[in-house]
Amino acid sequence: MDKKVRFAVIGAGVIAPSHAKAIAGNSEAELVAVADVEPDKANKLAEDFSIPYVYRDYQELLKRDDIDAITVAVPSGYHAEVVIAAAEAGKHVLVEKPLDITADSMTRMISACRQADVKLGCVFQRRVTEASIVAKQAIESGKLGKLVLGDAYQKSYRSPQYYKSAGWRGTWAIDGGGALMNQGVHGIDLIQWLMGDVHSVFAYSSALVREIEVEDTAVAVVKYKSGAFGVIQGTTSVYPGQETRFELHGEKGTIIFDDSGFKQWKFADHEEAMPQVVPRVSASSDPAQIANDGHFILVDDLIQAIRENRDPLVSGEEGRKAVDLILAIYESARTGKEITLN
């Protein structure tokens, strides 16, 4: 495919401009259409990014033969419905996190895209930050030796008004969860990407402050398949929001970093200068502050995956891992038992 990859955005809410900017800013992409059930939102996005075609019904959009790929920015519980329809229409897909909110939905999405031979990528932009890549390379090169502990601390603030801003927020049916499924899913994806797959989890999870169905605070103890242990904390109930922090410890060293960069880079068997990386814009207190760099990278990656006929950087199978872990955390909190992941 030498011509530009022609995109449409389905869903025109808070995160949609990040998708539109990434597409509009790519010389190999063209932004053709947008769909949203709320016409005012769709028209606003179309006006801001000079998108020629606007739809209220995404099914009508998918009938267009001048669209090669879509990005999905609808509420989490609707991801599977849109992705499966797109796959059946022969469109490649980049879906905003989380992949979906149930195991069955994710299985059906992945299967539909594999059967239709279209690409399925998921937006987990922490994987493409400079600090994350440097830390991953250090672990894989053996600098930490045997891994012992891998922790993710995600202490965000979301106001009562945030949860009232859209009817689906803070609901099990559409949001799929709270501080973990919506905000914390990024860090949960990253810690398991860095440390390896999780074997089991024991957790507490509850709404301690906000009047919502789902959790505003959760803490989990995890055991990785490597044998290492870890702690995952996630909240939207503390003020002010803190930078997300990752602590990685092994028998031969420690790596600690947050949104500002590395805080510790120390190894038992050699001295090494702490890497200097570009700070990440934190959205711990304001979701509108989410940086666009990751969306640019992942949109471009989908384009190259289509051209090279390979899986995207974060495939459907990779994208589901964080959700499967969160679902296990919820089950543990509900039952009071340690839950082993499949």
Side-chain angles (χ1 to χ4, degrees):
M1 181 186 285
D2 295 324
K3 62 183 181 180
K4 290 185 176 183
V5 176
R6 300 161 298 183
F7 278 86
V9 177
I10 297 179
V14 173
I15 201 64
S18 295
H19 290 243
K21 281 180 192 174
I23 297 163
N26 193 304
S27 61
E28 296 183 57
E30 179 182 353
L31 192 43
V32 174
V34 58
D36 195 285
V37 292
E38 297 185 35
D40 288 349
K41 289 183 178 180
N43 287 327
K44 177 70 165 61
L45 197 74
E47 182 181 331
D48 290 347
F49 293 94
S50 302
I51 304 172
Y53 300 102
V54 180
Y55 292 84
R56 186 168 184 171
D57 182 354
Y58 76 86
Q59 296 278 11
E60 291 300 312
L61 179 152
L62 290 175
K63 293 177 182 177
R64 298 187 66 95
D65 58 11
D66 59 349
I67 293 171
D68 306 303
I70 64 161
T71 66
V72 178
V74 299
S76 306
Y78 301 133
H79 285 182
E81 171 192 320
V82 176
V83 169
I84 291 168
E88 291 172 349
K91 317 297 186 191
H92 303 286
V93 184
L94 180 65
V95 59
E96 185 59 44
K97 64 74 193 168
L99 189 65
D100 196 80
I101 59 174
T102 72
D104 177 66
S105 292
M106 294 187 294
T107 298
R108 290 188 293 109
M109 293 162 73
I110 293 166
S111 176
C113 289
R114 291 292 182 197
Q115 288 179 6
D117 196 25
V118 296
K119 308 305 176 190
L120 173 60
C122 191
V123 176
F124 277 118
Q125 62 264 45
R126 281 194 180 273
R127 289 199 190 195
V128 298
T129 62
E130 192 177 359
S132 300
I133 292 168
V134 170
K136 177 76 166 175
Q137 291 170 342
I139 291 170
E140 290 184 339
S141 68
K143 286 184 177 180
L144 296 185
K146 182 178 180 180
L147 295 175
V148 177
L149 292 169
D151 309 317
Y153 302 106
Q154 304 182 94
K155 300 175 184 179
S156 299
Y157 175 75
R158 293 293 185 268
S159 67
Q161 290 72 30
Y162 166 83
Y163 286 106
K164 293 173 183 175
S165 67
W168 61 273
R169 294 194 187 281
T171 65
W172 286 114
I174 308 300
D175 215 355
L180 296 185
M181 188 67 84
N182 194 311
Q183 289 78 23
V185 67
H186 283 292
I188 290 172
D189 173 73
L190 188 67
I191 196 66
Q192 63 85 29
W193 183 64
L194 292 170
M195 291 291 295
D197 292 346
V198 171
H199 172 263
S200 63
V201 62
F202 180 85
Y204 295 100
S205 173
S206 186
L208 298 183
V209 178
R210 300 283 171 255
E211 294 180 1
I212 52 178
E213 297 176 10
V214 298
E215 86 288 354
D216 61 21
T217 308
V219 61
V221 176
V222 300
K223 182 178 181 181
Y224 298 97
K225 288 185 178 178
S226 68
F229 301 147
V231 172
I232 293 172
Q233 289 184 0
T235 181
T236 52
S237 57
V238 298
Y239 183 87
Q242 306 294 308
E243 292 194 15
T244 296
R245 182 178 177 96
F246 301 93
E247 301 189 1
L248 314 168
H249 305 275
E251 59 176 340
K252 296 187 343 188
T254 287
I255 296 171
I256 297 174
F257 65 100
D258 61 17
D259 295 327
S260 300
F262 287 99
K263 303 304 176 186
Q264 194 166 74
W265 182 270
K266 198 166 183 65
F267 310 104
D269 52 11
H270 68 285
E271 289 283 334
E272 194 172 312
M274 191 179 300
Q276 299 302 308
V277 296
V278 177
R280 183 179 187 274
V281 178
S282 174
S284 63
S285 291
D286 181 3
Q289 295 301 312
I290 293 171
N292 289 118
D293 300 7
H295 287 85
F296 277 100
I297 293 168
L298 293 170
V299 163
D300 187 69
D301 174 69
L302 181 68
I303 293 169
Q304 305 315 320
I306 294 168
R307 296 199 191 288
E308 298 166 16
N309 192 27
R310 61 166 173 82
D311 279 345
L313 189 63
V314 187
S315 65
E317 288 85 353
E318 277 294 301
R320 76 171 298 160
K321 289 182 179 180
V323 179
D324 284 332
L325 176 51
I326 291 169
L327 293 174
I329 290 172
Y330 291 159
E331 185 179 351
S332 175
R334 188 170 60 250
T335 62
K337 297 178 181 178
E338 179 180 7
I339 302 299
T340 300
L341 280 81
N342 294 328

